[in-house]
Amino acid sequence: MHVALDGFNALPAADAESGLLACCASRRWAAGVAAGRPYADAEALCSASDALLDALDWADVEEALAAHPRIGERARGTGREASWSRGEQSGMDAAEVAVRESLAAGNRRYEERFGHVFLICATGLGAGDMLAALEERLGNDAAAEREVVREELGKIVRLRLDKMLRGS
């Protein structure tokens, strides 16, 4: 769904929410962003998004996380969210086998420790950068990691909102 801001503001609520779910799979977030329309500009949309993300219960964040593939695993499907995810993880394309294996093992340790997928805004990062961040974050306690996850989710959502508005 390619929409500029004016088009997004004019969509029926259900269509706006549907499009927003490709940016963030939290239904509460999507409903809140859609309900906040009309937005004067993209920054107002992003500011509202940020505020809503900050207000999400952890269960809502976990709902969003469930839509993200593990780092190093390609998103399946033909939808916009899967396509965006594959592009965001393009830094994995040239990863050596040893790095891929280390990421897979790190993902398993992370999920055992924290109970959800390792989330990082992978845009512009190489596989080694992602692996280093994963290893560093394994040292976080649960509260600190939840804050990092919220920050990373916010970065991803901002990028995806921009893509949605640009029709990318």
Side-chain angles (χ1 to χ4, degrees):
M1 171 175 64
H2 165 52
V3 292
L5 186 61
D6 289 341
F8 173 71
N9 284 334
L11 286 173
D15 292 343
E17 287 182 35
S18 177
L20 288 164
L21 287 170
C23 299
C24 177
S26 164
R27 291 173 298 192
R28 185 170 160 223
W29 172 86
V33 172
R37 295 172 306 145
Y39 295 101
D41 54 34
E43 189 52 41
L45 169 62
C46 286
S47 293
S49 167
D50 291 346
L52 286 160
L53 285 171
D54 288 345
L56 290 179
D57 295 334
W58 186 248
D60 296 314
V61 173
E62 288 180 315
E63 180 182 33
L65 293 175
H68 288 269
R70 290 177 182 95
I71 291 295
E73 293 181 7
R74 295 305 235 175
R76 296 176 191 185
T78 58
R80 184 170 43 167
E81 182 178 5
S83 174
W84 286 344
S85 180
R86 286 189 293 272
E88 291 159 1
Q89 286 200 41
S90 65
M92 288 296 302
D93 292 348
E96 296 177 10
V97 172
V99 173
R100 288 181 183 276
E101 290 172 353
S102 293
L103 273 165
N107 280 330
R108 287 190 297 275
R109 287 193 322 273
Y110 183 94
E111 289 173 22
E112 288 169 8
R113 178 161 168 71
F114 297 111
H116 56 79
V117 70
F118 170 70
L119 186 74
I120 188 168
C121 183
T123 300
L125 298 179
D129 299 320
M130 291 181 251
L131 178 58
L134 171 59
E135 290 173 346
E136 179 181 328
R137 286 172 51 189
L138 278 166
N140 286 346
D141 64 28
E145 185 56 20
R146 283 183 175 192
E147 289 305 311
V148 174
V149 167
R150 284 180 183 275
E151 290 171 17
E152 294 298 315
L153 181 60
K155 291 176 195 176
I156 293 166
V157 170
R158 275 186 168 254
L159 288 170
R160 290 181 175 187
L161 285 171
D162 180 63
K163 289 175 188 177
M164 181 185 77
L165 294 177
R166 287 187 294 114
S168 302

